[in-house]
Amino acid sequence: MKDIRNIAVIAHVDHGKTTLVDELLKQSGAFGKHTHVDERVMDSNDIEKERGITILSKNTAIDYKGVRINIIDTPGHADFGGEVERVLKMVDCVLLLVDAQEGVMPQTKFVVKKALQLGHRPVVVVNKIDKAAADPDRVVDEVFDLFAQMNATDEQLDFPVIFAAAKLGYAKYNIEDENKDLEPLFETILKEVPKPNGSDDASLQMQVFTLDYDNFIGKIGIARIFNGQVKQGQTVLLCKADGEKQKGRISKLIGFKGLDRIDLKEAGSGDIVALAGFETVDVGDSLCDLENPMPLDPMHIEEPTLSVTFGVNDSPLAGTEGKFVTSNKIDERLAVESNTNIAMNYFQVGEGKFQVNGRGELQITILAENMRREGFEFSIGRPEVIIKVENDVKLEPFEHLVVDIPDEYSGTIIEKLGKRKANMTGMNPMGEGYTRLEFEIPARGLIGIRTEFLTDTKGEGVMNHSFLEFRPYSGIVESRKYGALVSMEKGEALGYSIFNLQDRGVMFIKPQDKVYNGMVIGEHSKSNDLDVNPIKGKQQSNVRSSGADEAIKLVPPRRLSLENALEWIEDDELVEVTPVGIRIRKKELDVNKRRRLAKQMK
């Protein structure tokens, strides 16, 4: 059996996980001398690169002093907690990264809780010690307090600490040591990370924790071998979570080295490999010895908390901008997504409508953004939380919310969140004029708050949340304060009419944009909806007037991203998503029918 170490890098979003893995790869010699390497090389898809966040967990392997170190880079955002949870079962230790200035954050708590429950003893890396406001000693104390609060064992509380600046490529045992390279971290991994427990001579036991897909070889399962050896072409037994068993042959066995995938003839206990040959393989399934099958426990994955309805686009502009517009195509694409993304599921709820359940708005908008880029055209309804009923009690998901804001805005934010049924559980000064507020809030209260929050804090506030638990339903939560400006004509918007409508609110469109009856073209400055005409031109007469040639001054429109649009809409509105643009519309386009419905509601 080779000398192997299996670790996962876990942390709150933006604390430097991917950057650290980059440096480990570079300093271990995984890249050739003349190889050009991008920043955050593990974030491979376009959206990850643009947003600077990790969405899918990815694995790599490096060799250091004759030891194979398998590293899994995990997402830090709460919406992708399902990815982190199953990865932790596959490793023997975790590197817990904590920002030397921000300290312990909501997602840090979430991942630490999972890691401690599985019995891991984390190696704590205090990252970004080069920041001007870094306070590494305070952060180490915070981590110790968090472990104690999570009922860590004495062994877990005696965790090793490394101080690092991943971006600058150095780590050290003590703050006073010189800034050199990552050798202290490599040495700590070899010394502190336990070797895998299994044996090459035992019966085969391996478990799949991530799925991938290849157009040529089909579904790929990425799995850890807990016991035994596996060879390419070997016939094994696939044991599903529901007890079903299927015989199959491993058609391809793939190993990881740096950023490359290499074909393997065989692999042994403790290794992490990818394999093909099983079309029905799922996360949590075990692959066992034919003669002596001993499946491993299936994984528990936390259930979705948010649902959104995807539907066929039926607006007057339907089919003019997208390549894939039918319900069959949308159904196929959602099926592909649920193949590899187990924290998300969907089912049909009507003709051309699908309810997609996920862990949060970000997870669902990233799916929608990927579909949009692939040429899909569809509509999305307002996100709703998933309500459970247990013992005749209505339960809804609650979130743990942490906001870091300049001191002068704390009163405004506390008042705003109070109206959304938030309960404040902590208030700590952070130094440098900032305060950290902690709340427990219904997940419904967070829908549509991010834009308002950024406006209220002049863009200086930082907001993070993670799932807490299901609690009894908390009543009606306040939603959007302002109404919509709705077009009552179809055509192209004109600068003259937009100029005259500017006083009524904030516009979402610019001149020459296509509009139609029932499309939302702006936010009204009052609470009611207002029907307006954005295509009205200036009437010309044969009488010359003094103000005829004055230039009109247009305020730049508010450009809506997918997240902004989903947060903004109400129950009677939809977001129309096409490869070309994002529009908001009323579900009922006809103005008279809308008015009749509004009267009935009253």
Side-chain angles (χ1 to χ4, degrees):
M1 180 176 161
K2 287 187 301 195
D3 199 355
I4 293 175
R5 303 287 187 280
N6 291 320
I7 55 169
V9 186
I10 61 172
H12 182 77
V13 65
D14 210 21
H15 278 196
K17 295 179 295 300
T18 307
T19 307
L20 180 70
V21 176
D22 271 12
E23 281 302 319
L24 288 170
L25 282 165
K26 282 177 195 163
Q27 294 192 24
S28 70
F31 306 130
K33 282 211 167 80
H34 304 293
T35 313
H36 168 72
V37 181
D38 291 332
E39 240 186 83
R40 295 195 325 278
V41 70
M42 294 288 282
D43 285 346
S44 49
N45 83 28
D46 290 346
I47 296 182
E48 288 183 320
K49 285 193 170 87
E50 285 165 27
R51 296 175 184 232
I53 60 170
T54 302
I55 295 165
L56 304 165
S57 60
K58 300 179 192 65
N59 31 318
T60 182
I62 56 181
D63 291 325
Y64 179 79
K65 293 188 176 174
V67 180
R68 166 61 55 96
I69 304 173
N70 288 315
I71 305 174
I72 305 180
D73 179 23
T74 64
H77 202 283
D79 287 14
F80 309 109
E83 290 272 329
V84 183
E85 220 171 316
R86 57 182 190 261
V87 161
L88 293 181
K89 273 197 164 180
M90 296 300 126
V91 294
D92 304 305
C93 185
V94 292
L95 290 188
L96 171 66
L97 257 72
V98 193
D99 188 301
Q101 180 183 335
E102 290 182 2
V104 170
M105 296 293 278
Q107 195 62 13
T108 316
K109 293 182 182 177
F110 175 81
V111 291
V112 164
K113 185 171 151 198
K114 300 288 175 200
L116 294 179
Q117 280 171 356
L118 290 166
H120 294 316
R121 174 172 169 254
V123 172
V124 175
V125 180
V126 179
N127 193 24
K128 305 194 183 185
I129 55 171
D130 53 314
K131 277 186 170 180
D135 187 355
D137 294 337
R138 168 182 65 83
V139 170
V140 173
D141 291 344
E142 272 185 29
V143 173
F144 184 86
D145 292 344
L146 174 66
F147 281 28
Q149 198 184 325
M150 301 277 184
N151 302 323
T153 62
D154 291 348
E155 190 196 355
Q156 286 170 329
L157 285 170
D158 183 24
F159 52 83
V161 179
I162 292 285
F163 300 98
K167 203 168 184 185
L168 303 176
Y170 64 80
K172 44 196 184 177
Y173 298 109
N174 300 298
I175 287 290
E176 303 78 49
D177 299 352
E178 67 166 320
N179 305 341
K180 209 165 159 199
D181 54 21
L182 288 177
E183 191 174 324
L185 181 55
F186 279 116
E187 292 298 335
T188 305
I189 290 171
L190 297 196
K191 186 174 145 213
E192 301 289 349
V193 176
K195 294 183 181 181
N197 284 329
S199 151
D200 280 2
D201 304 324
S203 293
L204 176 66
Q205 279 184 308
M206 56 196 295
Q207 191 166 29
V208 175
F209 64 92
T210 304
L211 298 173
D212 205 344
Y213 194 82
D214 184 286
N215 288 334
F216 298 104
I217 55 177
K219 213 171 185 181
I220 297 172
I222 298 171
R224 162 153 178 196
I225 305 169
F226 285 93
N227 271 309
Q229 287 182 299
V230 65
K231 294 184 172 70
Q232 184 174 346
Q234 184 178 337
T235 304
V236 296
L237 196 64
L238 172 68
C239 304
K240 310 279 293 171
D242 59 6
E244 189 194 333
K245 292 182 175 161
Q246 295 170 6
K247 235 164 86 168
R249 188 176 148 272
I250 294 173
S251 59
K252 207 166 178 60
L253 193 62
I254 305 161
F256 299 93
K257 175 81 195 289
L259 296 180
D260 301 322
R261 293 188 171 193
I262 41 183
D263 286 349
L264 298 177
K265 289 278 174 267
E266 60 177 8
S269 173
D271 238 335
I272 290 176
V273 293
L275 52 97
F278 297 88
E279 270 308 304
T280 57
V281 71
D282 267 319
V283 168
D285 289 355
S286 300
L287 292 149
C288 305
D289 196 48
L290 272 179
E291 308 303 319
N292 182 16
M294 289 187 287
L296 295 149
D297 293 339
M299 293 182 188
H300 160 70
I301 303 296
E302 288 199 350
E303 60 218 272
T305 55
L306 197 76
S307 79
V308 154
T309 303
F310 278 57
V312 171
N313 182 21
D314 59 358
S315 83
L317 298 177
T320 58
E321 295 169 352
K323 198 160 58 167
F324 307 115
V325 295
T326 61
S327 64
N328 289 356
K329 287 288 181 192
I330 295 171
D331 190 5
E332 279 171 26
R333 179 62 182 83
L334 293 176
V336 167
E337 186 68 22
S338 57
N339 261 343
T340 54
N341 186 345
I342 60 158
M344 192 182 267
N345 58 49
Y346 83 102
F347 49 88
Q348 193 155 353
V349 288
E351 201 174 324
K353 286 188 180 170
F354 306 91
Q355 184 178 320
V356 178
N357 302 326
R359 296 276 309 198
E361 280 175 77
L362 181 66
Q363 190 192 30
I364 286 167
T365 50
I366 280 171
L367 164 64
E369 181 62 37
N370 278 326
M371 287 173 67
R372 184 170 96 86
R373 291 175 184 205
E374 289 160 21
F376 282 85
E377 190 177 299
F378 53 96
S379 66
I380 312 183
R382 186 169 192 247
E384 291 173 10
V385 299
I386 294 171
I387 305 289
K388 290 202 310 191
V389 178
E390 278 180 18
N391 304 328
D392 296 332
V393 178
K394 254 169 103 175
L395 301 175
E396 66 171 330
F398 269 68
E399 303 264 335
H400 175 224
L401 170 70
V402 175
V403 296
D404 289 351
I405 47 175
D407 297 343
E408 66 260 36
Y409 305 128
S410 54
T412 313
I413 296 301
I414 291 168
E415 184 190 350
K416 178 149 282 179
L417 290 169
K419 287 178 180 169
R420 290 172 174 258
K421 298 278 194 288
N423 178 27
M424 190 158 78
T425 56
M427 184 175 190
N428 301 302
M430 292 292 290
E432 298 199 351
Y434 272 73
T435 302
R436 174 170 291 175
L437 305 174
E438 298 198 28
F439 298 89
E440 290 177 356
I441 182 169
R444 285 178 303 140
L446 288 170
I447 294 173
I449 197 168
R450 196 170 289 274
T451 314
E452 282 184 41
F453 173 80
L454 287 171
T455 309
D456 289 342
T457 59
K458 306 281 188 288
E460 290 182 48
V462 178
M463 179 177 182
N464 290 291
H465 55 90
S466 66
F467 175 68
L468 197 59
E469 61 187 356
F470 276 87
R471 289 186 185 171
Y473 192 75
S474 57
I476 294 168
V477 168
E478 186 190 78
S479 58
R480 190 174 88 205
K481 291 206 294 275
Y482 301 108
L485 295 173
V486 187
S487 168
M488 46 198 235
E489 298 290 343
K490 183 178 177 183
E492 276 190 11
L494 296 177
Y496 174 75
S497 52
I498 292 176
F499 172 69
N500 288 322
L501 290 172
Q502 281 177 165
D503 298 340
R504 300 291 189 142
V506 181
M507 304 305 291
F508 297 157
I509 57 164
K510 61 182 192 306
Q512 271 76 59
D513 278 358
K514 290 176 184 168
V515 297
Y516 53 81
N517 189 355
M519 178 173 150
V520 175
I521 60 161
E523 180 179 86
H524 193 195
S525 52
K526 295 180 180 170
S527 60
N528 62 309
D529 288 352
L530 187 67
D531 293 299
V532 294
N533 181 356
I535 66 167
K536 190 169 123 191
K538 187 177 180 188
Q539 296 300 318
Q540 299 293 338
S541 73
N542 55 4
V543 178
R544 191 169 174 184
S545 63
S546 59
D549 300 322
E550 279 179 13
I552 56 170
K553 292 187 178 69
L554 294 180
V555 178
R558 185 194 292 172
R559 303 312 286 169
L560 290 172
S561 69
L562 204 46
E563 275 106 325
N564 297 143
L566 267 186
E567 283 187 343
W568 191 83
I569 60 174
E570 286 292 339
D571 292 335
D572 65 334
E573 292 158 350
L574 294 171
V575 179
E576 182 185 343
V577 183
T578 75
V580 177
I582 290 158
R583 307 182 188 92
I584 295 176
R585 51 163 283 198
K586 291 288 183 184
K587 279 184 184 171
E588 181 48 73
L589 296 176
D590 187 284
V591 59
N592 296 319
K593 284 183 183 168
R594 277 205 310 277
R595 285 176 185 159
R596 274 204 298 277
L597 281 169
K599 274 183 187 168
Q600 285 167 14
M601 296 288 279
K602 282 179 184 174

